Amino acid sequence: RGVNIVAFCKEYNAKTSEKVGLIIPVEITIYEDKSYTFILKTPPASVLLTKAAGIQKGSGEPKKKKVGFVTKKQLEEIAEEKNARPQCEIKRISNQNHFWNSKEHGNNNKRVNRNTMGKISKRTREIQGRIEKKQYKPIEAINVLKQTATAKFAETAEAHISLKLDTKHADQQLRSSTTLPNGTGKKIRIGVITHENHVKESMSAGADVAGSEDLIQEIMKGIIQFDKLIATPDMMPAVAKLGKILGPRGLMPSPKS
């Protein structure tokens, strides 16, 4: 507040009168006495490129639709205006991009491939060799998936299904979940903390570990031999002291469950 905006606009227009139609960024410094100074920046590279190409805006479909071209000389002029010399020259040879850096290699004719993609491992190449370029039926795809699962850990598979839905309409938005008929293949160990009179009953019902105060003492010592823990309501006051151990692991039972 208090800055003479009219005076600034006049000075700005005077200094940019030769660059009408370009976007000229400006850096303004305002002092406590309301005086100011400003520094003009060069137009953004995108603005200079569209001007050099003689177009109003860039392509709406990058890498697919071309709307203009610039020459090497125009690029050098833009680089000079942006106070940065071209670092490398791009040549297209055999449908591959080879980048030539004159700073690093002087004037010799050695090409340097700057493709940064990592090398494909032998295992990945073998897997790719087993996959044919065709549409597989679901059961065939699952069989191929099993055959190519050669990692030493349980691998994860993703299924991407196109339902041709228009999610702009509320009646076509699909959000749901399902339970796999045979589970995930991982055995879940169930622990039960209950009154000592009900321990045998819990084990016969399918619990892997069951106990009363004895199981609580084991947990306090860091002995956790279950993936899910259930506690009967009458044992919840005794289970409360296990919160610091079970809470961070997401194993603390809830009275509601």
Side-chain angles (χ1 to χ4, degrees):
R1 296 179 61 181
V3 177
N4 191 340
I5 190 66
V6 176
F8 163 73
C9 290
K10 289 182 179 179
E11 293 181 38
Y12 177 84
N13 291 337
K15 290 189 176 183
T16 59
S17 58
E18 297 179 356
K19 299 181 179 181
V20 177
L22 293 177
I23 298 175
I24 310 296
V26 62
E27 182 181 310
I28 307 174
T29 303
I30 302 176
Y31 303 97
E32 292 182 356
D33 60 354
K34 307 301 180 184
S35 60
Y36 62 87
T37 57
F38 65 89
I39 302 173
L40 296 178
K41 302 290 186 178
T42 57
S46 58
V47 174
L48 296 175
L49 286 170
T50 53
K51 180 184 177 184
I55 56 178
Q56 295 295 324
K57 60 180 181 179
S59 172
E61 299 178 19
K63 298 183 180 180
K64 292 183 179 180
K65 183 179 179 181
K66 296 180 181 180
V67 294
F69 299 89
V70 293
T71 64
K72 180 179 177 180
K73 183 178 180 181
Q74 288 174 317
L75 284 175
E76 290 176 348
E77 291 174 353
I78 292 172
E80 290 178 1
E81 186 170 351
K82 296 292 292 183
N83 295 323
R85 293 185 179 180
Q87 295 293 320
C88 60
E89 179 182 349
I90 302 175
K91 296 180 180 180
R92 184 172 294 278
I93 304 173
S94 302
N95 294 325
Q96 293 183 354
N97 285 335
H98 295 275
F99 293 80
W100 162 250
N101 192 316
S102 57
K103 269 191 174 182
E104 294 179 3
H105 303 283
N107 294 322
N108 57 27
N109 293 323
K110 183 179 178 180
R111 292 197 304 271
V112 180
N113 193 343
R114 296 296 189 192
N115 291 333
T116 57
M117 293 293 291
K119 293 183 179 179
I120 299 177
S121 65
K122 180 180 179 181
R123 172 179 168 271
T124 303
R125 288 197 300 269
E126 290 178 354
I127 292 174
Q128 290 177 345
R130 300 180 192 175
I131 302 174
E132 300 179 19
K133 294 183 178 180
K134 68 174 187 178
Q135 289 187 348
Y136 287 89
K137 295 181 180 180
I139 190 64
E140 293 177 341
I142 293 173
N143 290 332
V144 172
L145 189 64
K146 291 181 177 180
Q147 294 171 5
T148 56
T150 58
K152 297 181 180 179
F153 54 86
E155 300 183 45
T156 301
E158 294 184 2
H160 298 263
I161 303 172
S162 176
L163 301 178
K164 306 296 183 181
L165 299 178
D166 187 355
T167 55
K168 295 179 181 179
H169 302 285
D171 59 343
Q172 295 189 42
Q173 294 180 2
L174 180 62
R175 291 182 179 89
S176 182
S177 60
T178 185
T179 302
L180 298 176
N182 298 318
T184 60
K186 180 180 178 181
K187 182 175 175 11
I188 305 296
R189 299 171 299 171
I190 305 297
V192 178
I193 297 178
T194 184
H195 193 273
E196 57 186 7
N197 296 335
H198 300 143
V199 172
K200 291 184 178 180
E201 182 182 349
S202 300
M203 293 296 293
S204 62
D208 296 282
V209 180
S212 183
E213 289 293 339
D214 56 336
L215 183 54
I216 292 176
Q217 292 301 321
E218 287 185 4
I219 295 172
M220 292 185 69
K221 293 178 183 178
I223 303 174
I224 299 175
Q225 300 177 342
F226 49 83
D227 301 305
K228 298 289 183 181
L229 182 62
I230 301 172
T232 54
D234 58 318
M235 295 299 296
M236 286 304 298
V239 174
K241 55 187 175 183
L242 301 176
K244 292 183 179 180
I245 301 173
L246 299 177
R249 293 178 171 85
L251 297 174
M252 189 65 181
S254 171
K256 295 180 180 180
S257 60

